[in-house]
């Protein structure tokens, strides 16, 4: 998909000219050349109860094939401009037209070659089918979405592999949303299980009120077997421990930011896992950023939506996105950039949000979001800062780059950042997927595939010198620990040990 | 602040990797930025230098005026291309003057191949001679190539040992019997038979070749039998399929498979099959999805790491951020919607050609989208191509012109920027598909661009 960065001029054209369903600026059609999108059924995800549609724009609004949903007109300015605005949404009122993306596919199959699921599961027809081919098939009214869409783990490697910039993951997200909404039995065990898995935040927020009890319950012999029998959650996995104090509780207790600096502000999107399970990652973020003189803000926030996209729960994701966008836009208005320590959270805010939702300010959130280490590498002279530093206790790390980091061009940042630190040995364990892909590896029927995908990474970790793993993604960390028994750290924790 | 390095290489394919390593070996601090996963995964894994010298003029003069698509052209009026060439270096003088080999000289190709040999190590063959080898390809033709994967070695067409080619019903793009027939028709000096065997049937009909490779890598049980053993058992009954000149049975001494014999464990997979079959085993290079391409990609990116090159894939360079005094100072990298400046003392543009998207085109023209460099082209788009699909297509040579240092040229034939160098498919002048020269052009232009960029940056 092309993300237009034009200013508001498109929007008038689309408001008035309903013929122009592809949202392009009215080009004179060339004889004999079909105009993209013109003869198509609108590609649209319609929630059956229509509960969201009222909140969005008028259903009469014509489709666009992507656009700027920017409260500041796509500029770096913090001034909000309610007119700078061009809708794209999977919900009524601004439907997606993925025609251009489907037409860009020249069938090179690079996406299939890069798909970790297709490598272990021959029942999975691969991203080329799930994306452009299925998109064409479902132009026909009576054509169902193939159930295999639920086997896509949403690792999004296909996006990174496609030389033609076909928006594969966007197509998958849309098809999966439509499948879940229109074809999946809402009382089925699978639906309920997926709903629970994707709403991890809801359950984590309850469990972390009584973390010790929750941890104890998860350790009761047979508890996970019960989970498998009743819900289809993989019994082999160990439930992540809840921290006795969440990140936000810690933040309140320490009295919030210790540095005031109107010129260097960041809003921390900690996500659910750093808050409920690994607050030490969040604390490391705060200490490292304060070391570099940043004022850290911690705005109210909900789930980034990553597990919801992967399970087709688009309505849930949308609800959470509204809260996130509102609060993050406010922080951006105060001069902050948004920093995430989880690479799936940052990818979601940067890519999936503007690809799937039409929420005022969503483009600004996308443009202002960075991964934590990435931001420091851009804005601080980390190289000079780290040159000549030394880690007190010599340590070798087996580093795994999460798929969602790969997609943001970040797969090498940890290895390169710590290259010159004395006492740190960082070994990249290769470009395979860890196999867990968020909720994928938690599903009973996917567990074995997940471990088969991960096998290569486990072997490389064991071959590597270090016995401590490192990664930016919390679920990759779970998988790395599960497969090797290693302790797993986040690069921010190492950075904290090195500089702070 | 900008993310700085001495040399910034834009692109991720063979030319980009070659330029990056060449610059790093000249003691430059190098960063490589590639929009997508390397297109090496779409490559056959064969390293061609120059296989043919195609005719650029018809045998009899054309009528007055430019060659246009509207004109009927008798195909017989075009002389056959010269080749297959036994020695790629011997053909360079007969290429057009604007060909990168002519501009940079035969030594650039020779040094590029040397660098490749060093990086590829024991995974590749062919460096013992200047001469081309003839390798069977997935289409059933025989291709002249300068370097080839060790996995393809036993398939060499100048070898006279009898051959069996194995195919699978479920692999629809490839028919082993037709393949064997085409090889025979091409006059190969050995007996060859093709056989379709039942092995991949255990998988779904549209199983990805990566799935089969993974099963062989891990020796997964196929209906109870380990995959490698199951494959050998399926092939064994056909070892006597080849028929010699007198109609007698000829036990084959080598067996060719589509290139899916394992990924990480390829060497072990081939060795075990060879052992079980009592014959050499080789892979036939394929189009995408190509495991030989993926393996080469892995190897070359490991080499980048070993040479200390920083690299990132996933974000495109979208344009020039700052330029002054005939120099580019910083370029813009689009990091998911936010443009970030990357600074360098010298830049290498290795973004590929029309297929690799280093060149962009529509009805109005052909452009180089990253630096906006000049692309020489006829104004009338009907002069971009000719009717004969396999003829001398002008568009095949489109790209950025270079001087002897690899500087891209502006419309007046002058270096566009002092500190920019171009390499690979984005460079004009070669018709790589007809010449079978794509890898060689990438290596020759890549090594020159990388070295010159390092010199520019460190002087």
């Amino acid at each position: 998909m092309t993300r237009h960065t034009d200013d508001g001029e498109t929007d008038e054209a689309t408001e008035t000219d309903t013929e122009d369903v592809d949202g392009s600026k009215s080009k004179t059609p060339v004889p004999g050349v079909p105009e993209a999108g013109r003869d198509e059924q609108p590609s649209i995800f319609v929630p059956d109860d229509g509960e969201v549609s009222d909140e969005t724009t008028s259903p009469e609004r014509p489709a666009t094939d992507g656009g700027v949903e920017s409260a500041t007109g796509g500029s770096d300015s913090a001034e909000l401009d309610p007119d700078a605005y061009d809708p794209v949404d999977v919900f009524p009122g601004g439907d997606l037209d993925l025609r251009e993306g489907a037409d860009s596919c020249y069938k090179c199959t690079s996406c299939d070659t890069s798909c970790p699921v297709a490598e272990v599961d021959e029942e999975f027809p691969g991203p080329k089918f799930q994306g452009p081919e299925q998109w064409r098939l479902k132009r026909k009214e009576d054509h169902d979405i193939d159930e295999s869409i639920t086997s896509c783990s949403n690792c999004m490697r296909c996006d990174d592999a496609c030389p033609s910039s076909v928006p594969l993951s966007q197509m998958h997200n849309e098809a999966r949303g439509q499948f879940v909404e229109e074809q999946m039995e809402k009382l089925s065990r699978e639906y309920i299980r997926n709903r629970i898995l994707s709403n991890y935040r809801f359950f984590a927020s309850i469990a972390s009120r009584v973390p010790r009890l929750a941890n104890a319950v998860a350790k009761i012999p047979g508890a996970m077997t019960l989970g498998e029998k009743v819900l289809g959650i993989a019994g082999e996995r160990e439930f992540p421990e809840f921290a006795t104090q969440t990140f936000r509780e810690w933040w309140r207790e320490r009295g919030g930011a210790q540095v005031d600096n109107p010129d260097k502000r960041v809003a921390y999107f900690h996500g659910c896992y750093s808050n409920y399970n690994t607050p030490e990652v969040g604390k490391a973020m705060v200490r490292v950023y304060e070391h570099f003189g940043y004022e850290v803000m911690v705005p109210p926030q909900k789930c980034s939506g990553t597990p919801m996209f992967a399970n087709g729960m688009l309505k849930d994701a949308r609800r959470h996105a509204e809260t996130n966008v509102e609060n993050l836009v406010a922080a951006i208005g105060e001069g902050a950039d948004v920093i995430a320590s989880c690479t799936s959270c940052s990818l979601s805010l940067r890519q999936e949000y503007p690809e799937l939702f039409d929420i005022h300010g969503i483009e600004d959130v996308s443009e202002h979001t960075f991964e934590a280490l990435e931001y420091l590498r851009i804005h601080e002279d980390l190289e000079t800062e780290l040159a000549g530093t030394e880690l007190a206790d010599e340590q070798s790390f087996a580093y795994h780059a999460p798929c969602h980091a790969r997609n943001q061009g970040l797969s090498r940042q940890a290895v390169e950042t710590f290259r010159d630190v004395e006492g740190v040995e960082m070994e990249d364990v290769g470009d395979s997927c860890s196999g867990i892909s968020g909720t994928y590896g938690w599903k009973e029927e996917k567990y074995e595939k997940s471990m088969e995908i991960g096998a290569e990474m486990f072997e490389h970790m064991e071959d590597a010198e270090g016995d401590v793993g490192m990664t930016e993604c919390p679920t990759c960390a779970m998988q790395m620990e599960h497969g090797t028994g290693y302790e797993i750290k986040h690069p921010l924790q190492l950075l904290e040990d090195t500089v702070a | 602040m900008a993310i700085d390095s001495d040399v910034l290489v834009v692109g991720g394919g063979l030319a980009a990797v070659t330029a990056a390593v060449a610059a790093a070996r000249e003691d430059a601090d190098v960063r490589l930025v590639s929009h997508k996963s390397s297109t090496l995964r779409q490559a056959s894994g064969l390293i061609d230098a120059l296989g043919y010298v195609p005719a650029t003029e018809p045998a009899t003069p054309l009528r007055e005026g430019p060659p246009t698509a509207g004109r009927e052209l008798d195909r017989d009026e075009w002389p056959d291309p010269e080749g297959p060439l036994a020695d790629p270096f011997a053909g360079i003088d007969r290429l057009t003057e604007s060909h990168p080999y002519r501009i940079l000289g035969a030594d650039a190709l020779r040094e590029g191949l040397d660098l490749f040999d060093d990086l590829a190590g024991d995974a590749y063959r062919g460096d013992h001679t200047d001469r081309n080898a003839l390798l069977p390809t997935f289409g059933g033709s025989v291709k002249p190539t300068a370097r080839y994967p060790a996995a393809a070695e036993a398939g060499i067409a100048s070898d006279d040992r009898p051959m069996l080619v194995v195919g699978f019903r479920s692999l629809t793009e490839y028919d082993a019997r037709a393949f064997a027939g085409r090889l025979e028709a091409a006059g190969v000096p050995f007996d060859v038979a093709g056989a379709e065997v039942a092995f991949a049937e255990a998988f779904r009909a549209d199983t990805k070749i990566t799935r089969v490779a993974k099963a062989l890598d891990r020796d997964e049980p196929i209906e109870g039998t380990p995959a490698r053993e199951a494959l050998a058992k399926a092939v064994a009954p056909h070892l006597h399929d080849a028929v010699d000149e007198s109609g007698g049975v000829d036990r084959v001494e080598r067996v060719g498979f589509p290139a899916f014999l394992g990924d990480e464990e390829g060497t072990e997979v081939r060795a075990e099959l060879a052992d079980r079959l009592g014959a050499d085993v080789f892979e036939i290079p394929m189009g995408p999805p190509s495991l030989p391409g993926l393996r080469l990609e892995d190897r070359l990116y490991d080499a980048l790491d070993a040479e200390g090159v920083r690299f990132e894939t996933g974000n495109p360079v979208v344009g020039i951020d700052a330029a002054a005094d005939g120099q580019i100072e910083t370029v813009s990298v689009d990091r998911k919607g936010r443009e970030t400046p990357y600074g360098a003392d010298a830049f290498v543009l290795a973004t590929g050609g029309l297929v690799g998207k280093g060149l962009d085109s529509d009805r109005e023209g052909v452009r180089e989208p990253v630096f906006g460099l000049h692309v020489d082209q006829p104004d009338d788009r009907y002069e971009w191509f000719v009717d004969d699909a396999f003829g001398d297509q002008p568009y095949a040579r489109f790209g950025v012109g270079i001087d002897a240092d690899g500087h891209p040229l502006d419309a007046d034939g002058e270096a566009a920027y002092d500190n920019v160098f171009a390499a690979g498919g984005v460079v004009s002048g070669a018709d790589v598909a007809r010449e079978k020269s794509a890898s060689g052009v990438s290596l020759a232009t890549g090594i020159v661009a990388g070295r010159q960029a390092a010199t520019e940056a460190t002087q």
Side-chain angles (χ1 to χ4, degrees):
Chain A
M1 176 184 109
T2 35
R3 227 183 269 162
H4 296 302
T5 44
D6 330 11
D7 42 27
E9 69 179 296
T10 3
D11 124 45
E12 269 186 43
T14 52
E15 296 270 11
T16 51
D17 181 7
T18 42
E19 284 292 303
D20 196 6
V21 282
D22 69 349
S24 62
K25 276 167 281 182
S26 31
K27 277 183 196 162
T28 324
V30 186
V33 180
E35 195 181 335
R38 200 166 253 254
D39 55 344
E40 300 298 319
Q41 293 292 327
S43 156
I44 190 165
F45 173 67
V46 188
D48 50 5
D49 53 9
E51 74 178 42
V52 194
S53 61
D54 297 343
E55 300 163 25
T56 62
T57 46
S58 123
E60 279 78 47
R61 196 158 67 186
T64 72
D65 58 350
V68 177
E69 166 53 73
S70 169
T72 65
S75 70
D76 287 347
S77 138
E79 292 290 307
L80 302 187
D81 172 12
D83 294 330
Y85 184 50
D86 180 19
V88 49
D89 203 313
V90 282
F91 293 100
D95 54 357
L96 289 159
D97 185 350
L98 299 170
R99 168 74 183 263
E100 193 190 337
D103 287 355
S104 296
C105 171
Y106 59 78
K107 309 281 179 215
C108 72
T109 70
S110 282
C111 53
D112 286 350
T113 313
S114 71
C115 175
V117 175
E119 209 171 88
V120 297
D121 181 0
E122 61 261 29
E123 298 299 316
F124 183 64
K128 180 155 61 78
F129 169 77
Q130 302 296 358
E133 289 170 7
Q134 175 135 275
W135 187 84
R136 284 203 188 87
L137 285 172
K138 70 187 167 73
R139 298 309 88 210
K140 300 282 176 205
E141 291 237 320
D142 59 346
H143 209 288
D144 281 350
I145 305 284
D146 193 77
E147 195 187 350
S148 61
I149 188 70
T150 59
S151 288
C152 162
S153 73
N154 207 35
C155 73
M156 298 161 87
R157 274 180 181 252
C158 41
D159 279 357
D160 193 32
C162 177
S164 206
S165 296
V166 175
L168 287 143
S169 69
Q170 188 184 20
M171 293 173 151
H172 300 163
N173 272 325
E174 195 221 22
R176 190 166 35 230
Q178 196 175 329
F179 176 81
V180 169
E181 192 61 35
E182 292 168 10
Q183 289 164 242
M184 208 171 184
E185 178 53 59
K186 300 298 175 297
L187 293 172
S188 69
R189 189 176 85 143
E190 193 185 0
Y191 179 83
I192 293 166
R193 189 266 321 266
N194 289 356
R195 192 94 198 263
I196 289 174
L197 283 175
S198 48
N199 282 279
Y200 176 73
R201 183 183 181 278
F202 176 74
F203 296 95
S205 69
I206 294 169
S208 72
R209 283 182 207 146
V210 282
R212 288 188 183 85
L213 177 64
N215 293 338
V217 168
K219 287 198 176 56
I220 294 171
M224 291 306 287
T225 320
L226 191 70
E228 177 162 324
K229 290 254 151 54
V230 177
L231 285 168
I233 293 174
E236 291 85 347
R237 296 218 177 258
E238 285 152 45
F239 211 75
E241 278 211 24
F242 291 101
T244 47
Q245 185 187 37
T246 66
F247 169 76
R248 295 188 79 92
E249 285 164 2
W250 172 82
W251 177 254
R252 268 195 300 278
E253 189 182 283
R254 100 197 266 262
Q258 309 282 305
V259 173
D260 285 327
N261 187 350
D263 299 325
K264 283 170 81 171
R265 267 188 191 148
V266 292
Y268 180 34
F269 191 87
H270 47 67
C272 310
Y273 207 75
S274 293
N275 187 36
Y276 297 117
N277 300 90
T278 55
E280 58 276 12
V281 171
K283 292 176 198 171
M285 184 281 170
V286 170
R287 291 182 189 126
V288 166
Y289 269 75
E290 288 189 345
H291 168 83
F292 285 103
Y294 286 90
E295 178 177 338
V296 179
M297 304 159 73
V298 183
Q301 56 193 268
K302 289 187 170 173
C303 171
S304 71
T306 298
M308 296 156 178
F309 298 134
N311 288 286
M313 307 286 170
L314 293 183
K315 279 196 284 184
D316 290 345
R318 161 95 196 199
R319 218 169 38 244
H320 287 238
E322 281 165 7
T323 304
N324 292 337
V325 171
E326 184 187 337
N327 290 302
L328 295 175
V329 163
I332 292 166
E334 291 174 50
D337 282 321
V338 180
I339 305 300
S341 50
C342 161
T343 41
S344 294
C345 292
S346 61
L347 185 62
S348 172
L349 301 184
R350 285 173 137 176
Q351 182 178 327
E352 283 159 317
Y353 270 29
E355 275 184 357
L356 297 172
F357 300 133
D358 168 25
I359 300 172
H360 194 56
I362 204 161
E363 281 283 349
D364 295 314
V365 171
S366 169
E367 280 175 26
H368 285 268
T369 299
F370 296 84
E371 194 277 334
L373 187 54
E374 174 194 22
Y375 191 77
L376 290 176
R377 272 163 55 93
I378 295 171
H379 292 95
E380 301 298 323
D381 191 356
L382 259 193
E383 217 164 299
T384 309
E385 178 88 20
L386 289 176
T389 54
E390 196 178 338
L391 188 69
D393 299 315
E394 229 169 84
Q395 182 62 55
S396 298
F397 295 92
Y399 173 76
H400 163 76
C403 300
H404 288 175
R406 210 165 277 286
N407 250 351
Q408 297 169 78
L410 306 177
S411 64
R412 296 284 301 170
Q413 63 170 3
V415 174
E416 288 175 2
T417 301
F418 296 104
R419 199 177 253 170
D420 297 327
V421 177
E422 205 61 39
V424 174
E425 199 60 54
M426 187 81 70
E427 200 172 328
D428 189 338
V429 295
D431 61 0
S432 66
C433 169
S434 78
I436 192 165
S437 272
T439 58
Y440 177 85
W442 278 92
K443 297 172 183 172
E444 168 202 7
E445 74 279 11
K446 301 284 192 278
Y447 174 78
E448 285 197 8
K449 301 278 176 234
S450 150
M451 293 304 280
E452 281 172 43
I453 297 170
E456 192 178 320
M457 180 190 73
F458 302 145
E459 279 164 32
H460 288 192
M461 283 179 73
E462 272 151 19
D463 290 346
E465 207 172 299
D467 54 1
V468 175
M470 177 158 286
T471 192
E472 287 94 342
C473 165
T475 58
C476 288
M478 276 181 213
Q479 176 86 335
M480 291 163 81
E481 187 186 350
H482 185 63
T484 61
Y486 289 5
E487 176 195 7
I488 314 295
K489 292 206 157 188
H490 190 285
L492 279 172
Q493 293 172 277
L494 179 58
L495 196 57
E496 182 191 10
D497 291 345
T498 315
V499 299
Chain B
M1 61 185 285
I3 294 171
D4 284 318
S5 48
D6 293 343
V7 173
L8 183 78
V9 178
V10 187
L14 185 60
V17 171
T18 305
V21 171
R25 290 191 174 181
E26 302 286 321
D27 295 323
D29 168 42
V30 184
R31 184 184 299 276
L32 177 144
V33 179
S34 162
H35 182 192
K36 296 288 185 177
S37 297
S38 176
T39 45
L40 281 165
R41 62 184 55 194
Q42 298 181 55
S44 68
L46 297 178
I47 302 295
D48 309 331
L50 184 64
Y52 294 89
V53 178
T56 54
E57 295 291 334
T60 52
L62 295 170
R63 70 163 166 73
E64 287 298 299
T68 65
R71 176 167 41 180
E72 288 300 322
L73 207 62
D74 185 354
R75 222 164 277 187
D76 297 336
E77 296 295 312
W78 285 90
D80 284 336
E82 180 195 340
L85 299 177
D87 179 353
F89 295 96
I92 289 179
D93 285 348
R94 292 192 293 286
L95 295 168
T96 54
E97 272 176 26
S98 58
H99 195 286
Y101 286 164
R102 292 288 300 275
I103 295 168
L104 302 176
D107 281 348
L109 173 60
R110 198 176 296 277
E111 288 166 17
L113 284 167
D114 286 348
L115 179 63
F116 177 83
D117 293 337
D118 187 40
L119 300 180
D122 61 1
Y124 269 76
R125 300 282 189 270
D127 58 344
H128 59 289
T129 172
D130 268 357
R131 298 170 68 81
N132 277 324
L134 292 171
L135 268 287
T137 71
F138 211 49
S141 63
V142 171
K143 182 180 185 183
T145 189
R147 302 288 186 271
Y148 44 95
E153 186 178 20
I156 232 163
S158 51
D159 185 338
D160 60 6
R161 293 179 300 159
M163 177 190 287
L164 173 69
V165 177
V166 176
F168 306 92
R169 249 190 305 280
S170 56
L171 201 64
T172 49
E173 62 266 48
Y174 166 91
D175 181 316
R177 283 167 295 203
F179 178 103
R182 280 199 291 272
L183 279 184
E184 278 194 324
V188 292
F190 50 84
D191 301 321
V192 55
E196 204 161 71
V197 307
F199 166 72
E201 276 72 11
F203 303 91
R204 246 176 81 125
D206 55 355
T207 296
K208 309 294 170 228
I209 64 140
T210 49
R211 171 78 195 101
V212 182
K214 188 95 176 175
L216 288 164
D217 257 359
R218 295 152 40 90
D219 210 6
E220 287 174 22
I222 305 288
E223 287 153 9
T225 313
R228 299 174 195 175
E229 187 186 337
L231 180 55
K233 276 187 174 158
V235 173
H238 299 282
L239 290 171
H240 295 87
D241 279 7
V243 177
D244 66 20
E245 280 161 34
S246 53
V249 171
D250 200 358
R251 190 185 196 280
V252 299
E253 291 175 44
R254 46 188 177 147
V255 182
F257 293 86
F260 62 37
L261 301 180
D263 179 9
E264 290 243 307
E265 310 294 333
T267 312
E268 288 72 22
V269 173
R270 263 184 299 122
E272 182 171 340
L273 287 172
D275 194 40
R276 288 182 180 278
L277 293 171
D280 282 349
V281 165
F282 65 95
E283 289 186 334
I284 298 154
M286 309 168 54
S290 167
L291 280 158
L294 275 170
R295 297 184 198 122
L296 179 60
E297 176 188 335
D298 284 348
R299 198 157 187 107
L300 293 178
Y301 276 73
D302 284 350
L304 283 183
D305 196 14
E307 302 283 341
V309 174
R310 294 159 203 271
F311 55 90
E312 60 180 75
T313 61
N315 297 317
V317 177
V318 290
I320 299 167
D321 181 60
D325 303 329
Q327 304 248 339
I328 291 178
E329 291 168 350
T330 52
V331 298
S332 288
V333 175
D334 180 351
R335 301 178 80 111
K336 298 274 168 210
R338 173 63 82 93
E339 289 188 10
T340 305
Y342 279 49
D345 296 323
F347 298 85
V348 174
L349 181 74
T351 43
L354 284 161
V355 179
K357 313 243 168 191
L359 297 175
D360 192 11
S361 66
D362 58 20
R363 289 159 166 264
E364 306 303 318
V366 183
R367 288 170 298 277
E368 186 285 296
V370 177
F371 293 157
L373 296 169
H374 174 68
V375 177
D376 202 27
Q377 59 197 286
D379 290 336
D380 182 346
R381 69 184 156 89
Y382 283 93
E383 292 176 29
W384 295 354
F385 56 95
V386 295
D387 270 355
D388 176 7
F390 299 101
D392 185 41
Q393 298 287 353
Y395 70 78
R397 295 177 191 272
F398 282 0
V400 172
I402 53 169
D403 67 14
D405 291 332
H407 286 116
L409 302 176
D410 63 19
D412 301 324
E414 303 292 326
Y417 298 98
D418 295 340
N419 67 336
V420 176
F421 304 87
V426 76
V427 173
S428 69
D431 183 350
V432 295
R434 288 206 304 157
E435 294 163 6
K436 308 292 175 221
S437 64
S439 300
V441 168
S442 288
L443 292 170
T445 52
I447 197 165
V448 169
R451 282 180 182 165
Q452 294 293 335
T455 308
E456 175 75 25
T458 52
Q459 70 183 205

